[in-house]
Amino acid sequence: MPEDTVDDETIDKTSHLPAYAQLANILRMKISSGHYEPGSRLPSEPNLSRKYALSVMTTRQAVGVLVEEGLVKRIQGKGTFVQRIGVVTSNFELEVFQKVFAEKEHLDVTVLKAAIEPATGLLCKVLQVAEDDRLVVVERLISHRGQPFTIQVGYAIFNPESPTVEAMLDAETLTGLFFDNGPSSFMKGELRLLPTFFSKEEAKLLHGKAGESVFKIEHIYYDFANQPVSYGWFIVSPEKMPLVCRMGVWNE
Amino acid sequence: MPEDTVDDETIDKTSHLPAYAQLANILRMKISSGHYEPGSRLPSEPNLSRKYALSVMTTRQAVGVLVEEGLVKRIQGKGTFVQRIGVVTSNFELEVFQKVFAEKEHLDVTVLKAAIEPATGLLCKVLQVAEDDRLVVVERLISHRGQPFTIQVGYAIFNPESPTVEAMLDAETLTGLFFDNGPSSFMKGELRLLPTFFSKEEAKLLHGKAGESVFKIEHIYYDFANQPVSYGWFIVSPEKMPLVCRMGVWNE
DNA sequence: AAGTGGTCTAGACCACCTA
DNA sequence: AGGTGGTCTAGACCACTTT
């Protein structure tokens, strides 16, 4: 009476797909098919290692893939448990931002405003400067493949020698857009995603309707001394930048 | 002429902090201090292994931590490179959602509506049912520590035997709120984050102002047969649920 | 050919949980 | 005490990139 003999797939060590990925696929399949039910325990790592003739480290790597995907959760001393999918563990990536800004050859930047202004109220607080200190302000309309994509507004503390200011004013190479490719290095930054609505001007520039609900992505960057160096935001429509998060097993 | 003798920290193998975490800390420090500049190459893993007297696997684990944090990027055959921080690689987690719903003892749920209705227009499309098929609809006000937190609206295909319907109507145990603890298992789901604004009623219930910009988190779940089983959304103010993403090195 | 990251082994010991 | 995940070693071979 054979048990567990041919009911399972095995690891093909001649395959180009790494063993850990093969095992991850097998386990993922068993989870999505209901063979391992939500809340239940996965076979222990030593057991999986024996069953699929892999070392513990390789087995751990396979399970680690599922952990990254949020399908299972490891609890030391107890085991690895199949997770139920749910809203609470999700995260939203700025995938569209990545794709759009990666295609530099299809980006067009129009400078709407570039000026030096005295700092006021909120800006003083955010950038930790005194009232009337001078700020560089730049507003840009960024189009992607001919379609208006986002409006960017940025403020930086004015300092002719600061690479930040240089980068901001450098529309040509886009370095000022998101500080991903510039000469300066920042210790840290913070993003904040907010709901807002199109102003009349924004709607016109981005081909939307005034009052339409859109995203605002605020960003603030700090230098090595922990001082804020720039503050600004992007305005972008959810139609141009859908924020979607998939949970569970897709594409099987 | 000593070089690299005492300028570097070393790994304390008697520490409770794992060696890989210690090395990750060292490397993170060197990145944030500018010792390793953005765009530059990290020492190779064999080099780091020799330098800190660790095995390759342990060194890899340390570098893996920084990869997860987005501070460095591995490129096979070339090396590991320090990344510049930027907007494009960020993601937003629903941390507040996690925390709020984890404190089940501090949640209060008021059922605003529970009914069976015929499907119409948009709902037919989303749930892939025929016009006038019956749907269960539930609206809830969820309060956390006495403060109104979110309004949840959910639709499910009516089937008295479906665990989804059971879960939705089960206000007591909150299982219907986000399907994270219920008896049913779902193969997959999709979330969509959207900007919108408070309706008059929503504003009143959530102590906000009508017309205020807020988040809408749409969710749709599918069963094992890939059929939609439920659709709905949460309405929540950005003040109650800030969506923040930190980039670079914080808390050093 | 040499250097890099990517995968893998066959063990080992530790920390934690349950019985 | 025995099982579980967490860490670690000292090698090995492979795939990819550069010289």
Side-chain angles (χ1 to χ4, degrees), chain A residues 20-93:
Chain A
Y20 78 89
Q22 292 182 52
L23 178 52
N25 286 341
I26 292 174
L27 296 176
R28 193 185 302 107
M29 204 80 78
K30 293 201 172 195
I31 290 171
S32 75
S33 72
H35 188 279
Y36 297 139
E37 291 186 8
S40 69
R41 223 202 68 205
L42 236 54
S44 76
E45 289 169 357
N47 274 335
L48 287 173
S49 301
R50 280 191 293 274
K51 186 165 182 177
Y52 293 98
L54 297 171
S55 75
V56 186
M57 288 293 271
T58 304
T59 302
R60 274 189 68 74
Q61 199 174 353
V63 175
V65 171
L66 304 186
V67 171
E68 288 295 308
E69 292 172 356
L71 292 176
V72 302
K73 183 179 183 179
R74 286 201 260 236
I75 301 179
Q76 179 167 150
K78 296 183 74 174
T80 302
F81 298 86
V82 180
Q83 293 292 99
R84 290 187 180 81
I85 66 173
V87 172
V88 293
T89 55
S90 309
N91 64 56
F92 295 90
E93 298 183 5

Side-chain angles (χ1 to χ4, degrees), chain A residues 94-104 107 144, chain B residues 88:
Chain A
L94 297 179
E95 288 176 51
V96 177
F97 243 67
Q98 287 187 43
K99 285 175 191 161
V100 167
F101 284 112
E103 297 188 306
K104 297 196 174 164
L107 288 178
H144 177 244
Chain B
V88 292

Side-chain angles (χ1 to χ4, degrees), chain A residues 205-217:
Chain A
L205 288 164
L206 293 175
H207 296 186
K209 296 172 191 165
E212 194 178 341
S213 284
V214 293
F215 289 119
K216 179 180 187 176
I217 305 174

Side-chain angles (χ1 to χ4, degrees), chain A residues 178-198:
Chain A
F178 41 86
F179 304 124
D180 197 31
N181 207 11
S184 55
S185 58
F186 297 84
M187 199 182 82
K188 60 184 187 183
E190 194 175 56
L191 296 185
R192 186 175 297 263
L193 186 65
L194 294 165
T196 184
F197 42 82
F198 270 151

Side-chain angles (χ1 to χ4, degrees), chain B residues 174-188:
Chain B
L174 302 177
T175 49
L177 285 181
F178 41 87
F179 304 126
D180 198 32
N181 208 9
S184 55
S185 58
F186 298 84
M187 197 181 83
K188 60 184 187 183

Side-chain angles (χ1 to χ4, degrees), chain B:
Chain B
M1 192 162 75
E3 58 166 20
D4 281 16
T5 50
V6 282
D7 59 337
D8 292 334
E9 300 154 47
T10 55
I11 307 296
D12 174 11
K13 298 204 176 183
T14 71
S15 164
H16 278 228
L17 199 63
Y20 78 89
Q22 293 182 52
L23 179 52
N25 286 342
I26 293 173
L27 296 176
R28 194 185 302 108
M29 205 81 77
K30 294 202 171 195
I31 290 172
S32 75
S33 72
H35 187 280
Y36 296 140
E37 290 187 7
S40 69
R41 221 201 68 203
L42 237 53
S44 76
E45 289 168 357
N47 274 335
L48 287 172
S49 302
R50 279 191 295 273
K51 186 165 183 178
Y52 293 98
L54 295 171
S55 74
V56 186
M57 288 294 271
T58 303
T59 302
R60 274 188 69 74
Q61 199 175 351
V63 175
V65 171
L66 304 186
V67 171
E68 287 295 308
E69 292 172 356
L71 292 175
V72 303
K73 184 178 183 179
R74 286 201 259 237
I75 301 179
Q76 179 166 154
K78 296 183 76 173
T80 302
F81 298 86
V82 180
Q83 293 292 99
R84 290 187 179 82
I85 66 173
V87 173
V88 292
T89 55
S90 310
N91 65 57
F92 294 90
E93 296 184 6
L94 297 179
E95 288 175 50
V96 177
F97 243 68
Q98 286 185 44
K99 285 175 190 159
V100 167
F101 284 113
E103 298 189 305
K104 297 197 174 165
E105 66 279 13
H106 291 108
L107 289 179
D108 276 317
V109 179
T110 309
V111 175
L112 305 173
K113 178 179 176 181
I116 293 176
E117 293 181 351
T120 58
L122 178 64
L123 288 170
C124 293
K125 266 195 177 172
V126 171
L127 291 173
Q128 296 176 26
V129 295
E131 194 94 13
D132 294 331
D133 274 10
R134 287 189 299 174
L135 299 181
V136 184
V137 51
V138 176
E139 294 186 24
R140 295 192 182 89
L141 172 65
I142 296 147
S143 296
H144 178 242
R145 295 180 177 272
Q147 294 293 314
F149 177 70
T150 185
I151 290 172
Q152 182 222 8
V153 178
Y155 294 89
I157 299 167
F158 179 65
N159 173 353
E161 294 162 14
S162 159
T164 307
V165 173
E166 265 187 60
M168 281 188 66
L169 296 173
D170 181 8
E172 190 73 28
T173 59
L174 302 177
T175 49
L177 285 181
F178 41 87
F179 304 126
D180 198 32
N181 208 9
S184 55
S185 58
F186 298 84
M187 197 181 83
K188 60 184 187 183
E190 194 175 55
L191 296 185
R192 185 174 298 260
L193 185 66
L194 294 166
T196 183
F197 43 80
F198 270 152
S199 71
K200 219 169 164 182
E201 297 76 23
E202 291 164 348
K204 194 173 178 185
L205 289 164
L206 294 176
H207 297 186
K209 296 172 192 165
E212 194 177 342
S213 283
V214 293
F215 289 120
K216 179 179 186 177
I217 304 173
E218 286 188 347
H219 52 82
I220 178 165
Y221 290 89
Y222 301 84
D223 65 12
F224 285 94
N226 247 3
Q227 289 299 311
V229 292
S230 82
Y231 165 73
W233 60 83
F234 295 85
I235 297 289
V236 53
S237 152
E239 291 168 21
K240 298 278 172 59
M241 186 189 73
L243 278 182
V244 176
C245 165
R246 289 182 157 188
M247 306 171 293
V249 181
W250 289 74
N251 286 336
E252 49 167 343

